[in-house]
Amino acid sequence: MKIINASFEIMTPLNGAEILKHIETAGRTCYKSEDKITASSAEKFVANIIKNGHESVLEHFSFSVRFIVDRGVSHELVRHRIASFSQESTRYCNYITDRFGRELTVIKPCFLAEGTPAWDTWKTECASAEAAYFELLELGCQPQEARAVLPNSLKTEVIMTCNLREWRHMLSLRTGKAAHPQMREVTTPLLEKLKELIPVVFDDIKVTS
């Protein structure tokens, strides 16, 4: 059994300046004010539309992120709309094969300290689930049947694609105090990275502890 940390990868190349220009061009169509576009007008325009709540204009740009998380976190991710998802399938992935190293990969729970009784119990139960899963496969069960014993901690990969407006909504919810700690583990650094890559769009979203 392999234990790894949760992580994310922004899959779409993001040029913040070009994204803001794209949003400005789309937004100014509403007012036919394209003549006011200058080399430096995009940031102010986008900041104003966010301030005034006209966030539908942000739907004109989308990007994709690959999340490597446990199954529990993935269940929360796929609740977001409007978004597109592609997820590693336990129906078709057979973890007893060489392709997967003949072992399960699980996500390290960020809220458990290694060496504590709670950690030891978690690790033991994950190993027990791995053994049961492999036994079911060896008894002739298909992966889609043997998956019944897989734990929530099982690593999964989810590609999430949505527009800027939905990313704002998702990150506002999933970086907040009420969000699950393992969700915050990936959404908080993602938000900080997006603030670096795309000016203005995510600046008003504050991480609360």
Side-chain angles (χ1 to χ4, degrees), residues 55 69 84 156 167 197:
E55 295 192 13
V69 292
S84 299
T156 190
W167 278 117
L197 294 173

Side-chain angles (χ1 to χ4, degrees), residues 70 73 76 111 174 176-185 187:
D70 75 8
V73 170
E76 297 184 14
F111 47 83
R174 301 303 185 179
K177 186 177 181 179
H180 192 281
Q182 286 181 286
M183 178 66 82
R184 289 165 57 96
E185 184 181 14
T187 55

Side-chain angles (χ1 to χ4, degrees), residues 45-72:
F45 179 85
V46 175
N48 281 334
I49 64 171
I50 292 174
K51 179 180 178 181
N52 294 325
H54 298 162
E55 295 192 13
S56 62
V57 182
L58 299 178
E59 296 173 11
H60 288 289
F61 186 83
S62 299
F63 64 91
S64 301
V65 174
R66 180 193 303 273
F67 291 99
I68 300 179
V69 292
D70 75 8
R71 299 293 299 193

Side-chain angles (χ1 to χ4, degrees), residues 123-156:
K123 186 176 179 181
T124 297
E125 293 308 312
C126 285
S128 177
E130 178 184 57
Y133 173 77
F134 288 163
E135 182 177 357
L136 287 172
L137 292 174
E138 290 166 353
L139 289 171
C141 290
Q142 298 177 11
Q144 66 179 3
E145 299 165 339
R147 75 174 183 178
V149 298
L150 292 175
N152 253 3
S153 287
L154 181 72
K155 164 260 183 188
T156 190

